[in-house]
Amino acid sequence: MINTHEVLNQPPPRDGVDEYSTNVPLVEAVARWGRSDVPALADIGRHVGSAGFQRDADRANTNPPVLHTHDKWGNRVDEVEYDDAYHRIMAAAIGAGAHTSAWADPGRGANVERAAAFFLFAQVEPGHACPVSMTHAAVPTLELAASGLRDEWMPRLLSRAYEPALADRVGPRAARPASRSDADRLDTLAALTARPAKASALVGMAMTEKQGGSDVRANTTRAEPTGVDDAWGREFRLTGHKWFCSAPMSDAFLVLAQAPGGLSCFFVPRVLPDGTRNVFRIQRLKDKLGNRSNASSEIELDDTAAWLVGDEGRGVATIVQMVTRTRLDCVIGSAAGMRQSVAEAVWHVRHRSAFGALLVDQPAMTAVVADLALESEAATLTAMRVARSYDDDAAAAASSASSSSSSDVPEQGFRRLATAVAKYWICKRGPGHAYEALECLGGNGYTEGFPLARRYREQPLLAIWEGSGNVIALDVLRVLAREPEAFEAFFDVVGEAAGEHAAFDLALAEARSVVGEVAADVSSGAAAARARELTERLALVLQASLLVQHAPAPVADAFVRTRLEGDSGLLYGTLPPGVDTAAILARA
């Protein structure tokens, strides 16, 4: 009897893989710029590569968050329910320090190792990375808060415990029952303050409004001072809406609102010091193209208690400390997505046969997956190098300013420009890269259950989050106009590869020339029209420089020939003759 359901010529499940140790470019980058904490990262690699973690990633996305605005008695609760799989993923990521380990254990290499941990978790399940990233990025902004607020909340951000429920209370501050409730609640408040405070916290942010989008200075949310100045700082009441608020289950948020002195940054806890819930109305969850495991919401604030962070009227300057680091995490997340795409595509073509040979041995397919691997390696190297440039902050936190080396200053200039450049380019390359990798799997790639359909929906978001393409390109122009020393630092780093490859030297000279042309009239419309061209050139010479310096010759040569010389077509897989695809794929 013929068995019509015998499964033949299908790749085996890709699980039980150490996603760290098998990622050669990532391992090399950590060894070069990190502290080479290989055992810890290998443990993470094995965990995220396990069948159990992959099942949880599937479940967290197929059972998305559910909003509960009210309890069964009609009380407003504004809570988001997540699948248990999501909580297991969060617990693993927080427990591994993928959020704030660079702040808790600062020093050279700290941000690289934290970036590698974040990369590994985001490679398999990207949605949970949003609150992990925001909590990491909130630390430098929270440092600008009043000492009482900072001292109470900072240990919770640095904790590796994961406690998903909102707290009954937030800490040891004395309650102020007379201003919150009547005398009948005094006994309840006393009982609340007798309970242990929640030991950990996640922090999100809410900036965007319907009418403004990226133009946060058009925000209409109002902040009225109460006249109270306590241990947490100056207290305000916020009233308004936010069109996008990601991870609304977080314990607190950094929010922009219009105070009497101008647009300002505020700290908004979900639970107030006396144990009562702050007014934080989650109106609905966004029905998104991807990023299904992560809740994104619209919220309303109505006389909501908030505390000023930084100076009144300096809200953008205050919260940019957070935004800069979430932009870097968009780069890391996009690079992680490229790695997932390459790993799945290469696994498939190494196990699938067609027309009498393995797909990987057929020249047309070999060229495609090698080109995808080339893009992935360039993105990984760039993400880790830019992460390294943030280690000066961690080092400064661990030592006095007088001990900082003079080399830290150029590194800070480099990161100011390189973060924006990498955010623009790598995040924009992500969707096309995911599509081409998906096609390598044929119909399976387009099928739910295989991870690349989910990845294809995920990658565009990372180009939108924290500033879409034009916003980032115009930020590069802003750096050129206001911080030209950042360009000098950038070219100092990129120029370290000069003299190694003639085509790179030519591209570097051309990039410098375009910078000069745009700088001559940087505030004009003509300069704005060239913002994308300028940013793309800078991104490509940055990636090429890093590959020329640190990657094997076949990888660097292929990148320079295809991305700088233009010695290829417009789509992946149109590699010129002589490219050593076998050497490139050996690293994939």
Side-chain angles (χ1 to χ4, degrees), residues 67-69 76-82 153 156 164-170 198 201-204 232 245-255 267-283 285 297 299-301 304-307:
L67 172 62
H68 301 290
T69 56
R76 188 97 196 193
V77 293
D78 296 291
E79 293 188 353
V80 182
E81 180 184 359
Y82 293 81
W153 282 85
R156 301 174 67 205
L166 291 175
D168 287 328
R169 68 185 187 89
V170 296
K198 185 176 176 181
L202 299 174
V203 175
W232 282 16
C245 175
S246 288
M249 80 298 173
S250 299
D251 299 279
F253 298 84
L254 292 168
V255 176
F267 183 84
V268 177
R270 287 295 311 273
V271 177
L272 294 168
D274 62 8
T276 59
R277 294 285 181 94
N278 206 359
V279 180
F280 191 90
R281 296 181 184 136
I282 305 174
Q283 301 297 78
L285 300 185
S297 64
I299 63 167
E300 294 290 334
L301 308 172
T304 300
W307 283 262

Short mmCIF file of all heavy atoms in Angstrom, two decimals, residues 67-69 76-82 153 156 164-170 198 201-204 232 245-255 267-283 285 297 299-301 304-307:
data_model
loop_
_atom_site.label_atom_id
_atom_site.label_comp_id
_atom_site.label_asym_id
_atom_site.label_seq_id
_atom_site.Cartn_x
_atom_site.Cartn_y
_atom_site.Cartn_z
N LEU A 67 -7.05 43.43 26.60
CA LEU A 67 -7.29 44.55 27.49
C LEU A 67 -8.54 44.31 28.34
O LEU A 67 -9.59 43.91 27.82
CB LEU A 67 -7.47 45.84 26.68
CG LEU A 67 -7.92 47.08 27.45
CD1 LEU A 67 -6.89 47.48 28.51
CD2 LEU A 67 -8.20 48.23 26.50
N HIS A 68 -8.43 44.57 29.63
CA HIS A 68 -9.58 44.56 30.54
C HIS A 68 -9.68 45.96 31.14
O HIS A 68 -8.87 46.35 31.99
CB HIS A 68 -9.39 43.53 31.65
CG HIS A 68 -9.22 42.12 31.15
ND1 HIS A 68 -10.26 41.41 30.59
CD2 HIS A 68 -8.13 41.31 31.11
CE1 HIS A 68 -9.82 40.21 30.22
NE2 HIS A 68 -8.52 40.14 30.52
N THR A 69 -10.65 46.72 30.67
CA THR A 69 -10.80 48.08 31.18
C THR A 69 -11.50 48.11 32.53
O THR A 69 -11.24 49.00 33.36
CB THR A 69 -11.58 48.96 30.19
OG1 THR A 69 -12.85 48.34 29.94
CG2 THR A 69 -10.81 49.11 28.88
N ARG A 76 -13.06 50.49 37.26
CA ARG A 76 -12.04 50.69 36.23
C ARG A 76 -10.74 50.07 36.71
O ARG A 76 -10.24 50.38 37.80
CB ARG A 76 -11.85 52.20 35.99
CG ARG A 76 -10.96 52.52 34.81
CD ARG A 76 -11.73 52.82 33.56
NE ARG A 76 -10.87 52.75 32.40
CZ ARG A 76 -11.23 53.23 31.21
NH1 ARG A 76 -12.41 53.78 31.02
NH2 ARG A 76 -10.41 53.12 30.17
N VAL A 77 -10.15 49.17 35.91
CA VAL A 77 -8.89 48.52 36.29
C VAL A 77 -7.78 48.77 35.29
O VAL A 77 -6.60 48.79 35.65
CB VAL A 77 -9.09 47.00 36.51
CG1 VAL A 77 -9.96 46.74 37.71
CG2 VAL A 77 -9.63 46.32 35.25
N ASP A 78 -8.10 48.87 34.00
CA ASP A 78 -7.10 49.18 32.96
C ASP A 78 -5.90 48.25 33.05
O ASP A 78 -4.76 48.68 33.24
CB ASP A 78 -6.66 50.64 33.06
CG ASP A 78 -7.81 51.60 32.79
OD1 ASP A 78 -8.25 51.65 31.63
OD2 ASP A 78 -8.27 52.26 33.74
N GLU A 79 -6.15 46.97 32.90
CA GLU A 79 -5.09 45.98 32.97
C GLU A 79 -5.03 45.20 31.65
O GLU A 79 -6.03 45.02 30.96
CB GLU A 79 -5.30 45.03 34.14
CG GLU A 79 -5.15 45.72 35.49
CD GLU A 79 -5.17 44.75 36.66
OE1 GLU A 79 -5.43 43.55 36.43
OE2 GLU A 79 -4.92 45.19 37.79
N VAL A 80 -3.84 44.72 31.34
CA VAL A 80 -3.61 43.95 30.11
C VAL A 80 -3.21 42.54 30.51
O VAL A 80 -2.29 42.34 31.30
CB VAL A 80 -2.51 44.60 29.25
CG1 VAL A 80 -2.33 43.80 27.96
CG2 VAL A 80 -2.87 46.05 28.93
N GLU A 81 -3.92 41.58 29.96
CA GLU A 81 -3.65 40.17 30.26
C GLU A 81 -2.79 39.57 29.14
O GLU A 81 -3.10 39.71 27.96
CB GLU A 81 -4.97 39.40 30.36
CG GLU A 81 -4.78 37.91 30.66
CD GLU A 81 -6.09 37.16 30.66
OE1 GLU A 81 -7.17 37.79 30.46
OE2 GLU A 81 -6.07 35.93 30.86
N TYR A 82 -1.73 38.90 29.55
CA TYR A 82 -0.82 38.26 28.60
C TYR A 82 -0.84 36.76 28.79
O TYR A 82 -1.11 36.25 29.90
CB TYR A 82 0.62 38.77 28.82
CG TYR A 82 0.84 40.21 28.47
CD1 TYR A 82 0.50 41.22 29.36
CD2 TYR A 82 1.42 40.58 27.26
CE1 TYR A 82 0.71 42.56 29.05
CE2 TYR A 82 1.63 41.91 26.94
CZ TYR A 82 1.28 42.89 27.83
OH TYR A 82 1.49 44.21 27.53
N TRP A 153 13.07 54.24 42.86
CA TRP A 153 12.76 53.49 41.65
C TRP A 153 13.97 52.84 40.99
O TRP A 153 13.84 51.79 40.36
CB TRP A 153 12.04 54.40 40.66
CG TRP A 153 10.60 54.58 41.01
CD1 TRP A 153 10.07 55.49 41.88
CD2 TRP A 153 9.49 53.83 40.51
NE1 TRP A 153 8.71 55.36 41.96
CE2 TRP A 153 8.32 54.34 41.12
CE3 TRP A 153 9.36 52.78 39.61
CZ2 TRP A 153 7.05 53.84 40.86
CZ3 TRP A 153 8.09 52.28 39.33
CH2 TRP A 153 6.96 52.80 39.96
N ARG A 156 14.70 49.17 41.52
CA ARG A 156 13.68 48.30 40.92
C ARG A 156 13.94 48.09 39.43
O ARG A 156 13.70 47.02 38.88
CB ARG A 156 12.30 48.90 41.15
CG ARG A 156 11.97 49.09 42.63
CD ARG A 156 10.67 49.82 42.84
NE ARG A 156 9.55 49.01 42.38
CZ ARG A 156 8.38 49.51 42.00
NH1 ARG A 156 8.20 50.82 41.98
NH2 ARG A 156 7.41 48.71 41.62
N PRO A 164 5.02 40.53 37.13
CA PRO A 164 4.13 41.16 36.14
C PRO A 164 2.97 41.95 36.72
O PRO A 164 2.49 42.89 36.09
CB PRO A 164 3.62 39.96 35.33
CG PRO A 164 3.81 38.77 36.22
CD PRO A 164 5.01 39.06 37.05
N ALA A 165 2.51 41.62 37.92
CA ALA A 165 1.34 42.31 38.47
C ALA A 165 1.73 43.71 38.94
O ALA A 165 2.85 43.94 39.41
CB ALA A 165 0.75 41.51 39.63
N LEU A 166 0.79 44.65 38.83
CA LEU A 166 1.01 45.97 39.41
C LEU A 166 1.07 45.86 40.92
O LEU A 166 0.41 45.02 41.53
CB LEU A 166 -0.12 46.92 39.00
CG LEU A 166 -0.16 47.32 37.53
CD1 LEU A 166 -1.41 48.16 37.26
CD2 LEU A 166 1.08 48.09 37.13
N ALA A 167 1.87 46.71 41.53
CA ALA A 167 2.09 46.63 42.97
C ALA A 167 0.89 47.14 43.75
O ALA A 167 0.11 47.98 43.28
CB ALA A 167 3.32 47.45 43.33
N ASP A 168 0.74 46.62 44.99
CA ASP A 168 -0.22 47.21 45.92
C ASP A 168 0.27 48.58 46.35
O ASP A 168 -0.49 49.48 46.66
CB ASP A 168 -0.38 46.33 47.16
CG ASP A 168 -1.18 45.07 46.84
OD1 ASP A 168 -2.05 45.14 45.96
OD2 ASP A 168 -0.90 44.03 47.44
N ARG A 169 1.59 48.73 46.42
CA ARG A 169 2.20 50.01 46.74
C ARG A 169 3.57 50.02 46.09
O ARG A 169 4.05 48.99 45.62
CB ARG A 169 2.30 50.24 48.26
CG ARG A 169 3.27 49.31 48.97
CD ARG A 169 3.22 49.53 50.49
NE ARG A 169 4.25 48.76 51.17
CZ ARG A 169 5.47 49.21 51.41
NH1 ARG A 169 5.82 50.42 51.00
NH2 ARG A 169 6.35 48.48 52.04
N VAL A 170 4.21 51.17 46.06
CA VAL A 170 5.47 51.26 45.32
C VAL A 170 6.69 51.37 46.20
O VAL A 170 7.80 51.25 45.72
CB VAL A 170 5.43 52.47 44.35
CG1 VAL A 170 4.37 52.27 43.31
CG2 VAL A 170 5.22 53.77 45.11
N LYS A 198 6.84 46.06 45.81
CA LYS A 198 7.29 45.33 44.64
C LYS A 198 8.76 45.63 44.39
O LYS A 198 9.19 46.78 44.39
CB LYS A 198 6.44 45.75 43.44
CG LYS A 198 6.73 44.97 42.17
CD LYS A 198 5.78 45.40 41.06
CE LYS A 198 6.12 44.70 39.76
NZ LYS A 198 5.23 45.13 38.66
N ALA A 201 10.60 46.69 38.50
CA ALA A 201 9.70 47.56 37.74
C ALA A 201 10.11 47.60 36.28
O ALA A 201 11.29 47.46 35.94
CB ALA A 201 9.71 48.98 38.31
N LEU A 202 9.12 47.80 35.43
CA LEU A 202 9.33 48.10 34.02
C LEU A 202 8.86 49.53 33.78
O LEU A 202 7.87 49.98 34.36
CB LEU A 202 8.53 47.14 33.13
CG LEU A 202 8.88 45.65 33.24
CD1 LEU A 202 7.90 44.83 32.41
CD2 LEU A 202 10.30 45.39 32.80
N VAL A 203 9.57 50.24 32.93
CA VAL A 203 9.23 51.63 32.64
C VAL A 203 9.03 51.80 31.14
O VAL A 203 9.88 51.37 30.34
CB VAL A 203 10.33 52.59 33.14
CG1 VAL A 203 10.02 54.02 32.73
CG2 VAL A 203 10.45 52.50 34.66
N GLY A 204 7.93 52.43 30.76
CA GLY A 204 7.66 52.71 29.36
C GLY A 204 7.69 54.20 29.09
O GLY A 204 8.09 54.99 29.94
N TRP A 232 9.74 63.17 45.83
CA TRP A 232 9.79 62.80 44.43
C TRP A 232 9.98 64.01 43.52
O TRP A 232 10.09 63.85 42.31
CB TRP A 232 8.51 62.05 44.04
CG TRP A 232 8.49 60.62 44.49
CD1 TRP A 232 9.30 60.02 45.41
CD2 TRP A 232 7.61 59.60 44.02
NE1 TRP A 232 8.97 58.70 45.55
CE2 TRP A 232 7.93 58.42 44.70
CE3 TRP A 232 6.57 59.58 43.10
CZ2 TRP A 232 7.27 57.21 44.50
CZ3 TRP A 232 5.89 58.39 42.88
CH2 TRP A 232 6.24 57.21 43.57
N CYS A 245 1.12 54.31 23.16
CA CYS A 245 1.79 54.01 24.42
C CYS A 245 2.07 52.51 24.43
O CYS A 245 1.15 51.71 24.59
CB CYS A 245 0.93 54.42 25.62
SG CYS A 245 1.64 53.95 27.21
N SER A 246 3.32 52.14 24.20
CA SER A 246 3.66 50.72 24.15
C SER A 246 3.84 50.16 25.55
O SER A 246 4.22 50.87 26.48
CB SER A 246 4.95 50.51 23.34
OG SER A 246 4.72 50.71 21.97
N ALA A 247 3.55 48.87 25.66
CA ALA A 247 3.70 48.15 26.93
C ALA A 247 2.96 48.86 28.06
O ALA A 247 3.57 49.23 29.07
CB ALA A 247 5.17 47.96 27.25
N PRO A 248 1.64 49.05 27.93
CA PRO A 248 0.91 49.81 28.95
C PRO A 248 0.79 49.10 30.28
O PRO A 248 0.28 49.68 31.24
CB PRO A 248 -0.47 50.01 28.30
CG PRO A 248 -0.62 48.84 27.37
CD PRO A 248 0.76 48.61 26.83
N MET A 249 1.24 47.84 30.36
CA MET A 249 1.22 47.14 31.64
C MET A 249 2.39 47.54 32.53
O MET A 249 2.51 47.07 33.66
CB MET A 249 1.25 45.63 31.40
CG MET A 249 2.61 45.04 31.09
SD MET A 249 3.35 45.68 29.57
CE MET A 249 4.98 44.91 29.69
N SER A 250 3.28 48.40 32.02
CA SER A 250 4.48 48.78 32.78
C SER A 250 4.11 49.49 34.08
O SER A 250 3.00 49.99 34.25
CB SER A 250 5.37 49.68 31.93
OG SER A 250 5.80 49.00 30.76
N ASP A 251 5.07 49.55 34.99
CA ASP A 251 4.83 50.11 36.32
C ASP A 251 4.84 51.64 36.32
O ASP A 251 4.27 52.26 37.21
CB ASP A 251 5.88 49.60 37.29
CG ASP A 251 5.83 48.08 37.41
OD1 ASP A 251 4.98 47.59 38.18
OD2 ASP A 251 6.63 47.40 36.74
N ALA A 252 5.53 52.23 35.35
CA ALA A 252 5.62 53.69 35.28
C ALA A 252 5.98 54.09 33.86
O ALA A 252 6.44 53.26 33.06
CB ALA A 252 6.65 54.22 36.27
N PHE A 253 5.78 55.38 33.57
CA PHE A 253 6.02 55.89 32.22
C PHE A 253 6.68 57.26 32.29
O PHE A 253 6.45 58.04 33.21
CB PHE A 253 4.69 56.01 31.46
CG PHE A 253 4.01 54.70 31.27
CD1 PHE A 253 3.20 54.18 32.28
CD2 PHE A 253 4.20 53.95 30.12
CE1 PHE A 253 2.59 52.94 32.14
CE2 PHE A 253 3.59 52.72 29.98
CZ PHE A 253 2.79 52.21 30.99
N LEU A 254 7.50 57.52 31.30
CA LEU A 254 8.00 58.87 31.07
C LEU A 254 7.13 59.50 29.99
O LEU A 254 6.97 58.93 28.90
CB LEU A 254 9.47 58.83 30.66
CG LEU A 254 10.42 58.38 31.78
CD1 LEU A 254 11.80 58.09 31.24
CD2 LEU A 254 10.47 59.43 32.89
N VAL A 255 6.57 60.65 30.30
CA VAL A 255 5.53 61.26 29.47
C VAL A 255 5.89 62.71 29.20
O VAL A 255 6.38 63.42 30.09
CB VAL A 255 4.16 61.18 30.19
CG1 VAL A 255 3.07 61.88 29.39
CG2 VAL A 255 3.78 59.72 30.45
N PHE A 267 7.32 61.86 35.19
CA PHE A 267 7.28 60.47 35.63
C PHE A 267 5.88 60.16 36.12
O PHE A 267 5.36 60.83 37.02
CB PHE A 267 8.29 60.26 36.77
CG PHE A 267 8.39 58.84 37.26
CD1 PHE A 267 9.20 57.91 36.62
CD2 PHE A 267 7.68 58.43 38.38
CE1 PHE A 267 9.29 56.61 37.08
CE2 PHE A 267 7.76 57.14 38.85
CZ PHE A 267 8.58 56.22 38.20
N VAL A 268 5.24 59.16 35.50
CA VAL A 268 3.86 58.81 35.80
C VAL A 268 3.82 57.36 36.29
O VAL A 268 3.96 56.43 35.49
CB VAL A 268 2.95 58.98 34.57
CG1 VAL A 268 1.52 58.53 34.89
CG2 VAL A 268 2.97 60.42 34.08
N PRO A 269 3.63 57.13 37.60
CA PRO A 269 3.52 55.75 38.09
C PRO A 269 2.09 55.24 37.92
O PRO A 269 1.13 56.02 37.99
CB PRO A 269 3.88 55.89 39.57
CG PRO A 269 3.41 57.27 39.93
CD PRO A 269 3.60 58.11 38.69
N ARG A 270 1.94 53.94 37.72
CA ARG A 270 0.60 53.36 37.68
C ARG A 270 -0.02 53.28 39.07
O ARG A 270 -1.24 53.36 39.22
CB ARG A 270 0.64 51.95 37.06
CG ARG A 270 0.88 51.88 35.57
CD ARG A 270 -0.25 52.49 34.74
NE ARG A 270 -1.57 52.03 35.11
CZ ARG A 270 -2.17 50.93 34.62
NH1 ARG A 270 -1.54 50.19 33.73
NH2 ARG A 270 -3.38 50.61 35.00
N VAL A 271 0.82 53.05 40.08
CA VAL A 271 0.35 52.96 41.46
C VAL A 271 0.97 54.10 42.25
O VAL A 271 2.18 54.30 42.21
CB VAL A 271 0.71 51.59 42.08
CG1 VAL A 271 0.26 51.54 43.53
CG2 VAL A 271 0.08 50.46 41.29
N LEU A 272 0.14 54.81 42.98
CA LEU A 272 0.60 55.98 43.73
C LEU A 272 1.22 55.56 45.06
O LEU A 272 1.03 54.42 45.51
CB LEU A 272 -0.57 56.93 43.95
CG LEU A 272 -1.11 57.56 42.65
CD1 LEU A 272 -2.44 58.25 42.89
CD2 LEU A 272 -0.09 58.52 42.06
N PRO A 273 1.93 56.45 45.70
CA PRO A 273 2.62 56.08 46.95
C PRO A 273 1.70 55.55 48.04
O PRO A 273 2.15 54.80 48.90
CB PRO A 273 3.28 57.39 47.38
CG PRO A 273 3.52 58.11 46.10
CD PRO A 273 2.34 57.79 45.25
N ASP A 274 0.42 55.93 48.03
CA ASP A 274 -0.49 55.44 49.07
C ASP A 274 -1.16 54.13 48.70
O ASP A 274 -2.03 53.65 49.41
CB ASP A 274 -1.54 56.50 49.41
CG ASP A 274 -2.44 56.85 48.23
OD1 ASP A 274 -2.36 56.17 47.20
OD2 ASP A 274 -3.21 57.82 48.35
N GLY A 275 -0.77 53.55 47.56
CA GLY A 275 -1.33 52.26 47.15
C GLY A 275 -2.51 52.35 46.23
O GLY A 275 -2.98 51.32 45.72
N THR A 276 -3.04 53.54 45.97
CA THR A 276 -4.16 53.66 45.06
C THR A 276 -3.67 53.73 43.62
O THR A 276 -2.52 54.08 43.35
CB THR A 276 -4.99 54.93 45.37
OG1 THR A 276 -4.13 56.07 45.26
CG2 THR A 276 -5.56 54.86 46.78
N ARG A 277 -4.55 53.40 42.70
CA ARG A 277 -4.21 53.44 41.28
C ARG A 277 -4.25 54.87 40.76
O ARG A 277 -5.19 55.62 41.02
CB ARG A 277 -5.18 52.58 40.45
CG ARG A 277 -5.12 51.09 40.72
CD ARG A 277 -3.88 50.47 40.09
NE ARG A 277 -3.82 49.03 40.33
CZ ARG A 277 -4.30 48.10 39.49
NH1 ARG A 277 -4.87 48.48 38.36
NH2 ARG A 277 -4.19 46.83 39.79
N ASN A 278 -3.23 55.23 40.01
CA ASN A 278 -3.23 56.51 39.31
C ASN A 278 -4.23 56.45 38.16
O ASN A 278 -4.58 55.36 37.68
CB ASN A 278 -1.81 56.79 38.78
CG ASN A 278 -1.51 58.25 38.60
OD1 ASN A 278 -2.36 59.11 38.84
ND2 ASN A 278 -0.29 58.56 38.19
N VAL A 279 -4.67 57.59 37.69
CA VAL A 279 -5.60 57.61 36.55
C VAL A 279 -4.79 57.38 35.29
O VAL A 279 -3.99 58.22 34.87
CB VAL A 279 -6.35 58.95 36.48
CG1 VAL A 279 -7.30 58.94 35.27
CG2 VAL A 279 -7.12 59.19 37.77
N PHE A 280 -5.00 56.24 34.66
CA PHE A 280 -4.25 55.85 33.47
C PHE A 280 -5.19 54.97 32.66
O PHE A 280 -5.20 53.75 32.79
CB PHE A 280 -2.99 55.08 33.89
CG PHE A 280 -2.00 54.83 32.78
CD1 PHE A 280 -0.99 55.74 32.50
CD2 PHE A 280 -2.07 53.68 32.01
CE1 PHE A 280 -0.06 55.49 31.50
CE2 PHE A 280 -1.15 53.43 31.01
CZ PHE A 280 -0.15 54.34 30.75
N ARG A 281 -6.03 55.61 31.86
CA ARG A 281 -7.10 54.89 31.18
C ARG A 281 -6.62 54.35 29.83
O ARG A 281 -6.30 55.12 28.93
CB ARG A 281 -8.29 55.82 30.98
CG ARG A 281 -8.91 56.27 32.30
CD ARG A 281 -10.10 57.15 32.08
NE ARG A 281 -10.62 57.64 33.37
CZ ARG A 281 -10.99 58.88 33.61
NH1 ARG A 281 -10.91 59.80 32.62
NH2 ARG A 281 -11.44 59.25 34.78
N ILE A 282 -6.57 53.05 29.74
CA ILE A 282 -6.19 52.40 28.49
C ILE A 282 -7.45 52.29 27.64
O ILE A 282 -8.35 51.50 27.94
CB ILE A 282 -5.56 51.01 28.74
CG1 ILE A 282 -4.39 51.14 29.72
CG2 ILE A 282 -5.10 50.39 27.42
CD1 ILE A 282 -3.79 49.80 30.14
N GLN A 283 -7.53 53.08 26.59
CA GLN A 283 -8.75 53.16 25.80
C GLN A 283 -8.93 51.96 24.88
O GLN A 283 -10.03 51.44 24.72
CB GLN A 283 -8.76 54.46 24.98
CG GLN A 283 -8.67 55.72 25.82
CD GLN A 283 -9.85 55.90 26.76
OE1 GLN A 283 -9.92 55.25 27.81
NE2 GLN A 283 -10.78 56.75 26.38
N LEU A 285 -6.32 48.68 22.65
CA LEU A 285 -5.04 48.20 22.16
C LEU A 285 -5.02 48.32 20.64
O LEU A 285 -6.04 48.10 19.97
CB LEU A 285 -4.81 46.74 22.57
CG LEU A 285 -4.79 46.44 24.07
CD1 LEU A 285 -4.41 44.99 24.32
CD2 LEU A 285 -3.85 47.37 24.82
N SER A 297 -0.98 50.78 22.88
CA SER A 297 -2.30 51.25 23.29
C SER A 297 -2.48 52.74 23.06
O SER A 297 -1.53 53.48 22.77
CB SER A 297 -2.49 50.97 24.78
OG SER A 297 -1.55 51.71 25.55
N ILE A 299 -4.01 55.87 25.34
CA ILE A 299 -4.33 56.12 26.74
C ILE A 299 -4.87 57.53 26.93
O ILE A 299 -4.60 58.42 26.13
CB ILE A 299 -3.10 55.92 27.65
CG1 ILE A 299 -1.99 56.93 27.31
CG2 ILE A 299 -2.58 54.49 27.57
CD1 ILE A 299 -0.90 57.02 28.35
N GLU A 300 -5.66 57.70 27.98
CA GLU A 300 -6.15 59.01 28.38
C GLU A 300 -5.68 59.28 29.81
O GLU A 300 -5.73 58.41 30.69
CB GLU A 300 -7.68 59.05 28.33
CG GLU A 300 -8.26 58.93 26.93
CD GLU A 300 -8.00 60.16 26.07
OE1 GLU A 300 -7.83 61.26 26.65
OE2 GLU A 300 -7.97 60.04 24.84
N LEU A 301 -5.22 60.50 30.02
CA LEU A 301 -4.79 60.97 31.33
C LEU A 301 -5.78 62.04 31.79
O LEU A 301 -6.12 62.95 31.02
CB LEU A 301 -3.38 61.55 31.26
CG LEU A 301 -2.32 60.64 30.63
CD1 LEU A 301 -1.01 61.39 30.44
CD2 LEU A 301 -2.10 59.39 31.47
N THR A 304 -4.10 63.20 36.20
CA THR A 304 -3.20 62.10 36.56
C THR A 304 -1.97 62.64 37.28
O THR A 304 -1.33 63.58 36.81
CB THR A 304 -2.78 61.36 35.27
OG1 THR A 304 -3.96 60.83 34.64
CG2 THR A 304 -1.80 60.24 35.57
N ALA A 305 -1.64 62.03 38.40
CA ALA A 305 -0.49 62.47 39.18
C ALA A 305 0.81 62.19 38.44
O ALA A 305 1.00 61.09 37.87
CB ALA A 305 -0.47 61.79 40.54
N ALA A 306 1.71 63.16 38.44
CA ALA A 306 2.99 63.02 37.74
C ALA A 306 4.02 63.89 38.45
O ALA A 306 3.68 64.87 39.11
CB ALA A 306 2.85 63.45 36.28
N TRP A 307 5.29 63.52 38.28
CA TRP A 307 6.38 64.27 38.89
C TRP A 307 7.37 64.71 37.82
O TRP A 307 7.75 63.92 36.95
CB TRP A 307 7.08 63.42 39.95
CG TRP A 307 6.30 63.33 41.23
CD1 TRP A 307 6.49 64.06 42.35
CD2 TRP A 307 5.17 62.47 41.51
NE1 TRP A 307 5.56 63.73 43.32
CE2 TRP A 307 4.74 62.75 42.83
CE3 TRP A 307 4.48 61.51 40.76
CZ2 TRP A 307 3.66 62.11 43.42
CZ3 TRP A 307 3.40 60.86 41.35
CH2 TRP A 307 3.00 61.16 42.66
#
